[in-house]
Structures are given as structure tokens and as C-alpha cells.
Amino acid sequence: MLVKFKKLDTKAVMPTYGTPYSAGADLYACMEKTVVIEPGQTVLLHTGIAMEIPEGYAGLNFARSGLATKRGLAPANKVGVIDSDYRGEIMVALHNHGTTAQTVEPGERISQLLLVPVMQAQFEETEELSDTLRGEGGFGSTGRK
């Protein structure tokens, strides 16, 4: 799949895949200087790129596992959704879930973007829904094991 992107800043880095079988393309911080993210703080980071996500797809912006597990940094909204008709700069809101300040360097990989197919549903109001074995069982209703 060909995905066009535009550099909005000369320091911007093209998204890259870490290995030939990586699901997500790494997005890079595009900024002039190091940013410090204090514990409990969220900082909106620039990537310096805009993207033309094909119709019928969405970009899902996830945490990079190393940043999340080793440094406590993950997207504040857990998963960012980038619609195919969005043409603005892709931004990443990184939140520090840890107990110590963390630094993000210019050009550092800050999140991973997965391009996934999406469908839009047609919603129809009804008085009754079909029965299932689970029924209305909600949070934790299927047990732990």
C-alpha cells in the first residue's frame, strides 16, 4: 500500500518499520530541543508530518512497547485514531505514567502507527435485540480464567 506523506518541517522523519514484519510504523518527535515530561504530565509532541491515509483505512497510533514498559511513556488517549480525511499534522500526546521525569529527544521514536481497514455501519433503532448466551453480562462477567 502506498501512503503519501508531507513533511511540514525540514527536521521531520519519514515513518519507518523497525523490522520487515513490524505491524506499526514508528513516528518520530520533530522538535528543536529536548522535552522533559514530568510524572503525571501530558505533552503534545509534533511529528512534523501530515499523511494521506487511503479511504477505507484509519491510522491507529499506539504506544511503543519499550517507551511504555521501560519509561512509562504512552499516548494519553491510549489509541489515537487518525481518519482518512484528516490532512493536518500528526501529533502525539505522550503521558508520563511513571514516577520520575522522562526526556524525549528530537528525532526519537515516540509512537507506532498501524494502518487498518475500517467500515462505517448503518445504525438502525429497534425495540428488541437478539438473545445470546452472554446476554447483558458486562465487565468481568466471563470470569478470570
Side-chain angles (χ1 to χ4, degrees), residues 6-25:
K6 179 180 179 181
K7 283 189 176 185
L8 305 174
D9 186 305
T10 58
K11 296 177 300 307
V13 177
M14 178 176 73
T16 61
Y17 290 97
T19 71
Y21 300 105
S22 294

Side-chain angles (χ1 to χ4, degrees), residues 35-104:
V35 170
V36 176
I37 306 176
E38 297 293 335
Q41 182 183 26
T42 299
V43 174
L44 192 60
L45 298 174
H46 293 265
T47 66
I49 62 170
M51 201 172 281
E52 190 174 308
I53 296 171
E55 184 179 330
Y57 289 82
L60 300 183
N61 192 22
F62 289 95
R64 294 194 69 247
S65 59
L67 277 183
T69 59
K70 296 176 182 174
R71 297 172 51 195
L73 296 176
N77 55 342
K78 307 305 178 213
V79 178
V81 178
I82 305 166
D83 300 311
S84 65
D85 59 349
Y86 177 68
R87 295 294 185 269
E89 181 178 11
I90 295 174
M91 306 283 284
V92 178
L94 272 190
H95 182 79
N96 184 349
H97 295 274
T99 57
T100 60
Q102 296 292 324
T103 59
V104 177

